[in-house]
Amino acid sequence: MSTAPEVRAVERQGLDVIAESDRKGRPSGLFWPWFAANISVLGLSYGSFVLGFGISFWQATIVSVSGVAFSFLLCGIVATAGKRGSAPTMVLSRAAFGVRGNRLPSFLSWILTVGWETSLAALAVLATSTVFREVGWDDGVVTKLVALVVVAALVIGAGVAGFDVIMRLQTWITVVTGVLTVVYVVLAVPSIDLGAVAALPSGSAQNVVGALVLVMTGFGLGWVNAAADYSRYLPRSSSTGGVVWWTTFGGALAPAILVVVGILLAGSSKDLSDAIGADPIGALTTVLPVWFLIPFALVAVLGLVGGAVLDIYSSGLALLSAGIRIPRPVAAGVDGVVMIAGAVYVVFFAKDFISPFQAFLVTLGVPIAAWCGVFVADVLLRRREYAEDELDDRRGRYGDVRWGAIALVVVGTGLGWGLVTNTYGVPSWLGWQGYLLEPFGLGGRDGAWAYANLGVLVALVVGFLGTLVSSRAAVRRQELA
């Protein structure tokens, strides 16, 4: 990716197929955007989230590393479609769902990515406010508003500019945040109490599964719907294995390490673990010397901005895929307005961060997991390149609406929502979830399986196996057309 002949001030590509003359770079270039988007110190806070399921250090470590690695492997598989089809993820999804049938998963993708960019922007503002308070400066409304303006300008500006600017921005973010994050970890090590960590009691199988699902939805499953948006610029001759490896490795490397360090920190101090629920980034400052607070603010904000930038770029593409006919830069701007409104709510009106955040992850994680299962299976079934000129032709080989794929998402979502619960009861209107826990003999909404979030895994399996069984012949017909 680093061999681009020129940098466009604003990318004009929307849902267009990337021309051969614009395809450039090597699979190794995928490391930079994926690493930069996931080097955020938010990964440290997941240590507290995982231990919140009442599991031991070793259970939490195994769950975290395996959940991060597997979920980003799914991203790696999806990314191969970008190299083979030269189009954004949610355009390539039309091969499985049909040209207009794909508007449903495109809309879901848009909600997910806008939700993520909103969460990351809100966290950047909260972290800035906390650092200001710790160094004795004003951390009130004005500080938060200024921080929100700066964060929004960076995120929206990069999202509007597009691919070339994002790739270069992510390279710099990777270097700066990588170095400062290492410094943070070194400074935080003295706060680790190995005795307290070792004394953490083991949890049940249900608790382990719940923690695994949380990690998967918080990391790789939050990116699957955007995983081909960057690989689409690679030459067709690029190694498929290289695309899978560099996407998986780039995305998983930092979170796998950071979550384990976060487990050690949260396991050492219950006060720190509790504080993370209200302010996941700012709470991490309590283990730092005062002189590192400003560098910490820099690494925190840059890391979160790195993730939000990728989200706003992909959310704009998802909005276009859903049938909204506006230029790509305008779509990114529209999503930026929604992001700002959501961040204002989280920063100024929500009682805490973790409650709505986990409800968001699990609730949207179910339909996205079902879509992911369908799309990954569809990619694995294909042996030839996509017929790019027919991806927007309702009368072409991919058809208008493929009801089988839509049915798998609907059934997977219906089963999935029936097997998850809104852990913190916020927002209260999600209390209807978990309606299948009692009929399936899993103890109801208060039973042992209530917080295992089995629904995400069930939705993934339904989409994947259902597509393998039902779509093999259809894929072959498409490739022979």
Side-chain angles (χ1 to χ4, degrees):
M1 294 293 177
S2 60
T3 58
E6 65 172 317
V7 180
R8 296 181 179 87
V10 176
E11 178 194 5
R12 299 299 178 184
Q13 296 280 5
L15 302 183
D16 319 58
V17 171
I18 304 302
E20 293 297 324
S21 59
D22 289 330
R23 296 169 74 96
K24 56 208 173 188
R26 297 183 297 272
S28 59
L30 293 172
F31 174 84
W32 299 107
W34 288 108
F35 186 82
N38 292 283
I39 186 64
S40 167
V41 291
L42 177 61
L44 293 166
S45 300
Y46 270 85
S48 172
F49 303 162
V50 170
L51 289 181
F53 284 85
I55 58 180
S56 70
F57 167 73
W58 287 112
Q59 287 177 321
T61 298
I62 293 171
V63 159
S64 298
V65 174
S66 59
V68 166
F70 176 71
S71 62
F72 276 109
L73 175 61
L74 295 175
C75 291
I77 296 172
V78 172
T80 64
K83 189 238 348 176
R84 293 163 59 183
S86 316
T89 312
M90 298 314 297
V91 171
L92 298 169
S93 178
R94 293 172 179 174
F97 289 87
V99 175
R100 287 197 299 181
N102 192 59
R103 290 181 179 178
L104 172 62
S106 292
F107 179 69
L108 292 173
S109 175
W110 179 75
I111 295 176
L112 179 66
T113 46
V114 168
W116 264 110
E117 67 202 45
T118 298
S119 299
L120 295 174
L123 279 174
V125 174
L126 292 172
T128 302
S129 175
T130 300
V131 169
F132 270 50
R133 182 176 66 248
E134 291 295 319
V135 298
W137 300 342
D138 176 44
D139 65 333
V141 173
V142 174
T143 297
K144 291 176 180 176
L145 285 174
V146 172
L148 179 58
V149 169
V150 173
V151 169
L154 287 171
V155 173
I156 297 173
V160 169
F163 180 82
D164 285 336
V165 172
I166 288 174
M167 294 300 287
R168 281 157 176 75
L169 176 65
Q170 297 295 64
T171 300
W172 283 105
I173 288 178
T174 297
V175 173
V176 175
T177 56
V179 171
L180 292 178
T181 300
V182 170
V183 175
Y184 176 91
V185 171
V186 171
L187 293 174
V189 165
S191 300
I192 295 174
D193 183 346
L194 293 179
V197 172
L200 292 171
S202 297
S204 65
Q206 294 92 335
N207 293 345
V208 170
V209 172
L212 174 66
V213 172
L214 174 69
V215 171
M216 289 176 57
T217 54
F219 290 102
L221 278 179
W223 288 110
V224 287
N225 56 311
D229 293 355
Y230 302 91
S231 56
R232 67 186 176 129
Y233 276 89
L234 289 171
R236 298 180 194 278
S237 58
S238 299
S239 165
T240 298
V243 171
V244 174
W245 165 251
W246 287 109
T247 300
T248 305
F249 181 61
L253 178 60
I257 296 172
L258 292 175
V259 176
V260 174
V261 174
I263 292 169
L264 290 169
L265 289 172
S268 300
S269 170
K270 186 178 185 302
D271 289 340
L272 173 62
S273 187
D274 292 341
I276 286 173
D279 185 1
I281 305 297
L284 298 172
T285 63
T286 59
V287 301
L288 292 174
V290 174
W291 65 265
F292 191 69
L293 289 177
I294 298 303
F296 174 82
L298 179 63
V299 67
V301 171
L302 281 179
L304 295 166
V305 165
V309 163
L310 260 67
D311 276 317
I312 198 169
Y313 180 75
S314 294
S315 67
L317 295 175
L319 187 62
L320 299 181
S321 300
I324 306 300
R325 297 185 179 278
I326 54 178
R328 187 206 61 78
V330 175
V334 170
D335 293 348
V337 172
V338 177
M339 176 192 75
I340 292 172
V344 166
Y345 168 76
V346 173
V347 171
F348 295 102
F349 300 102
K351 293 182 179 180
D352 66 2
F353 175 82
I354 186 61
S355 300
F357 180 63
Q358 286 208 21
F360 157 72
L361 284 182
V362 172
T363 300
L364 279 182
V366 169
I368 288 298
W371 169 85
C372 179
V374 171
F375 191 80
V376 167
D378 184 79
V379 169
L380 294 177
L381 286 173
R382 295 186 184 277
R383 298 292 180 267
R384 300 184 180 182
E385 308 291 341
Y386 290 88
E388 297 160 352
D389 57 340
E390 296 186 46
L391 285 170
D392 60 356
D393 182 1
R394 289 188 288 141
R395 294 175 294 278
R397 71 183 69 194
Y398 302 119
D400 188 15
V401 179
R402 295 188 63 189
W403 292 106
I406 292 176
L408 287 174
V409 170
V410 172
V411 171
T413 300
L415 290 173
W417 279 340
L419 296 173
V420 300
T421 56
N422 185 12
T423 308
Y424 293 92
V426 178
S428 59
W429 55 267
L430 289 177
W432 53 267
Q433 294 175 343
Y435 48 82
L436 293 178
L437 290 167
E438 185 70 38
F440 283 12
L442 297 174
R445 292 186 175 93
D446 298 317
W449 288 99
Y451 304 115
N453 293 323
L454 279 176
V456 175
L457 298 178
V458 168
L460 181 66
V461 171
V462 166
F464 183 77
L465 293 182
T467 302
L468 285 183
V469 171
S470 65
S471 297
R472 188 179 301 273
V475 169
R476 293 291 169 263
R477 286 194 299 270
Q478 288 178 356
E479 294 187 326
L480 293 173

